[in-house]
Every structure is written in C-alpha cells, then in structure tokens.
Amino acid sequence: MATSLLDKKHFLFDIETSGLNKQTDHIICIGISFNNDKNEIVTKQWSLQIPEEEENVLQQFIAFITPFSHAYTYGGKLFDWPFLLNRCLYYNLDITSLQRIHVID
C-alpha cells in the first residue's frame, strides 16, 4: 500500500482576500487540500460571489475542518489564519475548533 504525503488529520490551507485589512476587507476564497478516505489528496474550495456570503462560507469551513488537527500554510500563520479568525469573530462565530488547529508555516 502506498503511503500518503499528507496525514489524514492534516490539511493544506490558503485564503484569498479583497485586501489586507482584516477589519474591513473580506475573504473571497478559502482553499484546502487534504487526504480523503481513498488515500487521495483532494482539493476543496469555498468561493464567495458577494461579500454577504462570507458568514455562511466561514460556518461551512469551520464545520468541515472540525476533524482536522493541523493546517499547513505558506505565510498563513501570520496573515491567513489570523485574518480568518478575525472574520469569524466579526460574525460572532464559535472559533473553538479553529483555536485547537496547530498551524504550521
């Protein structure tokens, strides 16, 4: 059996935003790659058509990553993850499951 490059509890993570200000700008897209049940690395994206969809997309993302323990990013520890957390707090979303994710650059 082939060994996967990515542990089943880990995912790769990136976001795209409308700007750099986490108070006034929005997330446009959240993308992750993860190892599925068939031991295949797959990609999932949540894309917004309008800013008003942001809260719903964040809720979907939080629900989806609850089983994961680690997130790998490129520069995301300083920008992507804090931006995501701040946008969740803006909508008063429960970030408990996000806070337990170990983020690795």
Side-chain angles (χ1 to χ4, degrees), residues 26-29 46-55 57:
H26 301 280
I27 292 174
I28 296 172
C29 181
W46 295 265
S47 297
L48 285 73
Q49 298 298 315
I50 56 173
E52 290 78 16
E53 295 174 339
E54 186 178 42
E55 181 178 7
V57 164

Side-chain angles (χ1 to χ4, degrees), residues 53-71:
E53 295 174 339
E54 186 178 42
E55 181 178 7
N56 184 46
V57 164
L58 290 169
Q59 289 172 333
Q60 290 176 37
F61 174 74
I62 292 168
F64 188 84
I65 66 158
T66 297
F68 294 93
S69 63
H70 291 72

Side-chain angles (χ1 to χ4, degrees), residues 13-93:
F13 168 77
D14 188 40
I15 64 170
E16 300 303 326
T17 66
S18 62
L20 300 176
N21 188 321
K22 58 188 172 189
Q23 303 298 329
T24 58
D25 292 313
H26 301 280
I27 292 174
I28 296 172
C29 181
I30 303 171
I32 68 170
S33 292
F34 60 97
N35 197 358
N36 69 10
D37 292 336
K38 296 178 183 176
N39 214 26
E40 304 164 325
I41 294 180
V42 295
T43 300
K44 180 166 178 62
Q45 290 185 329
W46 295 265
S47 297
L48 285 73
Q49 298 298 315
I50 56 173
E52 290 78 16
E53 295 174 339
E54 186 178 42
E55 181 178 7
N56 184 46
V57 164
L58 290 169
Q59 289 172 333
Q60 290 176 37
F61 174 74
I62 292 168
F64 188 84
I65 66 158
T66 297
F68 294 93
S69 63
H70 291 72
Y72 293 97
T73 73
Y74 182 78
K77 195 170 185 176
L78 294 176
F79 179 76
D80 297 49
W81 202 254
F83 196 102
L84 178 88
L85 292 175
N86 188 272
R87 296 310 297 165
C88 289
L89 292 173
Y90 176 82
Y91 296 108
N92 295 312
L93 300 178

